[in-house]
Amino acid sequence: MKQTKKKLRFPIGYLLLALCVAFLLNSLITIPREIKIDYSEFKDLLAEDRIKEVTIEKERITGKALMAGDKGEEEKAFVTIRVEDPQLIADLRQHGVTFSGKRENTLLNSLIAWVLPLLLIVGIWIFFMRRVGRGPEFMSVGRSKAKILPEDQLDVTFDDVAGVDEATEELKEVVEFLRNPKKFTQLGGKLPKGVLLVGPPGCGKTLLAKAVAGESKVPFFSISGSEFVEMFVGVGAARVRDLFARALEKAPCIIFVDELDALGKARGINPVGGHDEREQTLNQLLVEMDGFDTKKGVILMAATNRPEILDPALLRPGRFDRHVLVDRPDIKGRQAILEIHAKEVKLAKDVDFAALAGMTPGFVGADLANVINEAALLAARRGEKAVRMAEMEEAIERIVAGLEKKTRVMNKQERRIVAYHELGHALVALSVPNADPVQKVSIIPRGIAALGYTLQRPTEDRYLMTKSELINRLTTLLGGRVAEELTFDEVSTGAQNDLVKATDIARSMVKEYGMSEAMGLVAFERNRQPLYLQTAPFSSSPEYSEETSRAIDAEIKRIVDEAHQRARKILTKKKKVLDKVAQILLEKEVIQGDELKRLVSEAG
Ligand code: ADP
Ligand code: MG
Ligand code: ZN
């Protein structure tokens, strides 16, 4: 990139230089070797018969005259400015001087007057256009900058990816389709148009996309979302059009938009001067996605680590309708990733990948690749022949220190707290009737706020919930906090989100559903209306007295307190199970639902 720029600047520099030289030469040649004299002097010379011949031009008179020189009288060329003088011709005739008229060379003059500046302007224009536009054709701004990786250069396969097995499984289907699109379309099958890879940075989203291309052996157009967004309005949209047009020519192929959030931020989020350009680009992307047909074999893939800020229109069916979660690896996944990256380094016999995986909770794939690399560098610096466990451990320590600053890695005590907290939820959920089954408990941090999570998935869609179900849910929510209370002397801030949710449930029970005996069958709150329909914006004036308000608060508190007591009772009974399973969870980091049930029944 930089090189081509330099190459282009040189001839233009030469051109300017040549112009200057020509200019100088020109003025040198035309430097008057004639002697400049005043018109009066000319008239005197004429009177003295010293003028030999004269050429009259429009603005000056040139000619030859006898003048005093180094060696006495000499014939010299002279020039004088022409003055309005009706007598001139008569005088010249009187003194017998031959004279002639001369028209100025208008062609040359106009050449200099018009063409030269024009040339200069054009030169300067080209110069700047080349600096702005990339490449010799400066009409290429609207061309997409997507890099095409030809099939033979794609050497990434699914074997290079580990620890994200669920994502890999899902993407294998896409590969199958790209390899043999006819097989699918013959049966009338429809493939997702867009596959969105979602997950924290460094977990292997880009790597997975490359693996899909490498496995399916089709061209891979890769572009970053930020590369669409440019200074000039309309350029991004033109690039999107161009990208899809190029991709269609190469079908079957993959278009991969990395960092989609740079482009696909929800429109209209920014109240101060919306970003027109980005909006246009996004609209164009939506239009193209609607327009193209997966039957032709173009699959759009994108990656983001901030799905929550994406424009909802992007996530609608028919667009990015398949979401693949690429999450942080668990202990087994980390071991596999370490093994993949260690293939390229020489290892000493004492390296134990299982132990290393145990030392790296919270690490993502990129961190683990970094561990191997750091360790190899360390070993080289120490003059070792192979990378030993000692170097691995030191590399991990260094990286942990870096990650702790970014608060991505928890210390031991934090991990313990999170393990007990999550198990608190899970055990309560297992004990209360009709609770949604627990799918898995994990202490692998996820997202920004959640340090761990308990995944409960309803077995069926629910439209109505009974009072007891709501109370069970409340109790489960408080289980995390209760487990902390029972185990540690202090409670942590980790339960904040749970408390918010619990309070919301209790408030709805009292104010909306009429589920509190004390308050009776009165709905104190209507379904919330959209803001713009409210008559008086921002004034949520309660339709009840202050006294009622106080009673409502008391009821909410009572419901939450009762649920808290209930959770406490359940977990006190199960404290031994809690302790036992917490140890296992700390070791394994993830426990699946079935296994949890088994462990609980064994420990109980
Ligand atoms: P993302 O796009 O999710 O931010 P990348 O795919 O760019 O992450 O990952 C960066 C690097 O980290 C990869 O090139 C690879 O070396 C390593 N890496 C990340 N995740 C994995 C994984 N699951 N398996 C193997 N290597 C991984
Ligand atoms: Mg990436
Ligand atoms: Zn919780």
Side-chain angles (χ1 to χ4, degrees):
M1 195 73 198
K2 262 182 193 148
Q3 264 195 339
T4 54
K5 247 191 205 169
K6 262 189 190 153
K7 265 190 211 153
L8 284 170
R9 217 180 287 177
F10 264 113
I12 285 165
Y14 284 139
L15 191 80
L16 287 176
L17 200 74
L19 271 174
C20 284
V21 170
F23 215 76
L24 269 174
L25 274 178
N26 188 43
S27 48
L28 266 180
I29 288 163
T30 51
I31 258 179
R33 269 152 300 164
E34 303 108 337
I35 299 163
K36 272 189 186 154
I37 56 174
D38 294 335
Y39 193 74
S40 56
E41 205 180 336
F42 165 72
K43 287 294 260 193
D44 291 344
L45 287 169
L46 187 60
E48 289 166 26
D49 267 338
R50 282 164 178 264
I51 302 289
K52 291 298 158 202
E53 56 174 76
V54 159
T55 307
I56 300 166
E57 293 172 24
K58 198 177 167 201
E59 291 187 335
R60 54 182 210 162
I61 296 168
T62 57
K64 286 181 180 151
L66 277 178
M67 279 187 273
D70 309 332
K71 310 160 211 158
E73 292 281 276
E74 240 177 80
E75 209 176 86
K76 283 187 181 174
F78 73 89
V79 62
T80 185
I81 304 294
R82 186 179 165 185
V83 172
E84 198 54 45
D85 181 5
Q87 283 290 306
L88 180 64
I89 303 296
D91 282 353
L92 286 171
R93 277 200 185 286
Q94 193 190 335
H95 294 278
V97 180
T98 49
F99 64 87
S100 59
K102 189 180 170 190
R103 265 219 292 171
E104 266 141 293
N105 194 339
T106 46
L107 191 71
L108 193 80
N109 270 8
S110 53
L111 217 71
I112 290 171
W114 290 100
V115 178
L116 214 68
L118 212 73
L119 271 178
L120 251 161
I121 289 168
V122 170
I124 290 169
W125 182 60
I126 290 176
F127 178 65
F128 279 108
M129 282 314 279
R130 290 210 171 154
R131 295 195 68 181
V132 173
R134 282 141 284 258
E137 333 116 64
F138 33 77
M139 307 317 280
S140 73
V141 260
R143 303 253 310 157
S144 98
K145 287 193 271 182
K147 297 174 280 290
I148 315 183
L149 294 184
E151 305 93 276
D152 52 328
Q153 258 186 37
L154 286 165
D155 43 10
V156 182
T157 66
F158 284 136
D159 290 338
D160 298 313
V161 191
V164 281
D165 301 334
E166 285 152 44
T168 313
E169 280 311 310
E170 283 201 53
L171 291 176
K172 277 186 178 155
E173 193 184 326
V174 175
V175 170
E176 197 60 30
F177 169 76
L178 283 167
R179 271 195 189 150
N180 197 351
K182 280 220 185 78
K183 190 177 119 193
F184 280 79
T185 46
Q186 263 170 2
L187 298 176
K190 245 193 182 170
L191 243 96
K193 270 188 187 171
V195 179
L196 184 62
L197 304 174
V198 182
C203 284
K205 298 183 293 296
T206 310
L207 190 71
L208 267 171
K210 281 189 186 150
V212 170
E215 294 268 350
S216 48
K217 303 245 180 292
V218 297
F220 183 67
F221 291 82
S222 142
I223 190 164
S224 168
S226 58
E227 284 176 276
F228 282 113
V229 185
E230 280 277 339
M231 190 167 45
F232 305 112
V233 174
V235 170
R239 285 207 177 127
V240 172
R241 257 193 310 272
D242 181 62
L243 176 64
F244 277 82
R246 275 165 66 196
L248 265 183
E249 280 168 22
K250 294 252 177 187
C253 68
I254 296 172
I255 301 177
F256 177 57
V257 184
D258 212 346
E259 323 285 345
L260 181 68
D261 40 282
L263 167 66
K265 251 179 246 166
R267 287 164 290 185
I269 260 187
N270 182 4
V272 198
H275 199 309
D276 264 350
E277 159 64 356
R278 212 194 50 230
E279 216 159 278
Q280 268 193 27
T281 311
L282 177 56
N283 283 338
Q284 187 63 39
L285 181 70
L286 296 176
V287 167
E288 295 288 346
M289 284 193 81
D290 288 344
F292 86 80
D293 191 348
T294 31
K295 284 195 185 109
K296 299 215 173 80
V298 181
I299 285 198
L300 189 59
M301 289 180 76
T304 180
N305 42 39
R306 304 167 70 193
E308 68 282 355
I309 65 164
L310 285 183
D311 198 297
L314 271 172
L315 307 176
R316 274 219 325 254
R319 284 159 182 172
F320 285 107
D321 41 12
R322 174 129 2 146
H323 300 187
V324 175
L325 179 65
V326 185
D327 214 347
R328 290 197 168 87
D330 61 3
I331 187 162
K332 285 217 187 76
R334 290 199 302 270
Q335 180 177 346
I337 294 173
L338 281 168
E339 278 164 8
I340 285 175
H341 287 278
K343 268 186 208 149
E344 280 141 45
V345 299
K346 259 190 118 177
L347 292 174
K349 288 232 166 59
D350 68 340
V351 173
D352 177 358
F353 286 114
L356 288 173
M359 283 178 231
T360 49
F363 277 41
V364 296
D367 299 329
L368 294 167
N370 206 2
V371 166
I372 301 285
N373 190 42
E374 281 274 319
L377 290 177
L378 264 174
R381 219 174 296 150
R382 290 176 183 165
E384 298 291 341
K385 288 210 179 60
V387 183
R388 299 170 307 168
M389 196 67 176
E391 278 88 30
M392 294 282 193
E393 282 168 10
E394 200 173 326
I396 289 172
E397 270 163 36
R398 283 187 189 186
I399 290 165
V400 166
L403 295 182
E404 259 171 7
K405 272 189 208 132
K406 291 189 219 154
T407 65
R408 260 182 43 204
V409 168
M410 293 181 278
N411 64 32
K412 277 211 177 100
Q413 179 63 7
E414 283 168 340
R415 270 163 59 81
R416 259 169 64 79
I417 294 175
V418 173
Y420 273 95
H421 177 106
E422 296 306 331
L423 271 179
H425 289 307
L427 291 187
V428 173
L430 285 178
S431 311
V432 298
N434 293 329
D436 295 329
V438 178
Q439 294 230 316
K440 77 177 174 190
V441 189
S442 161
I443 57 168
I444 302 173
R446 183 187 222 181
I448 301 159
L451 297 172
Y453 55 92
T454 305
L455 197 62
Q456 277 178 284
R457 206 166 274 167
T459 32
E460 57 202 303
D461 279 346
R462 299 298 302 270
Y463 299 103
L464 291 173
M465 288 190 80
T466 62
K467 183 177 169 186
S468 61
E469 276 167 337
L470 282 172
I471 289 177
N472 286 344
R473 182 169 281 193
L474 244 173
T475 315
T476 308
L477 274 171
L478 293 171
R481 163 69 169 250
V482 169
E484 286 185 50
E485 286 169 7
L486 292 176
T487 317
F488 309 98
D489 293 337
E490 278 184 308
V491 290
S492 74
T493 54
Q496 186 244 1
N497 193 28
D498 297 337
L499 295 182
V500 171
K501 276 193 212 151
T503 317
D504 279 350
I505 292 179
R507 178 174 298 123
S508 298
M509 286 173 70
V510 176
K511 286 172 75 174
E512 288 170 47
Y513 308 142
M515 286 181 182
S516 142
E517 283 96 26
M519 299 310 298
L521 292 176
V522 182
F524 294 96
E525 199 155 304
R526 283 159 218 285
N527 272 341
R528 287 192 192 95
Q529 280 182 337
L531 210 57
Y532 57 86
L533 283 180
Q534 283 175 0
T535 37
F538 307 121
S539 82
S540 58
S541 55
E543 292 156 1
Y544 42 82
S545 69
E546 203 153 299
E547 204 176 321
T548 316
S549 169
R550 220 170 287 135
I552 289 173
D553 286 343
E555 265 304 280
I556 293 171
K557 187 167 178 307
R558 185 188 61 82
I559 291 177
V560 175
D561 278 349
E562 274 179 21
H564 181 240
Q565 287 308 321
R566 191 162 159 235
R568 216 180 151 92
K569 230 184 191 164
I570 293 171
L571 285 180
T572 317
K573 247 198 250 163
K574 298 211 165 190
K575 182 71 172 73
K576 269 204 193 114
V577 183
L578 181 67
D579 287 331
K580 240 186 199 162
V581 182
Q583 281 315 313
I584 298 170
L585 181 60
L586 276 167
E587 254 165 59
K588 296 181 105 171
E589 295 171 7
V590 182
I591 298 181
Q592 301 293 336
D594 303 338
E595 204 185 345
L596 183 72
K597 264 190 202 149
R598 206 196 67 221
L599 286 171
V600 169
S601 62
E602 274 172 18

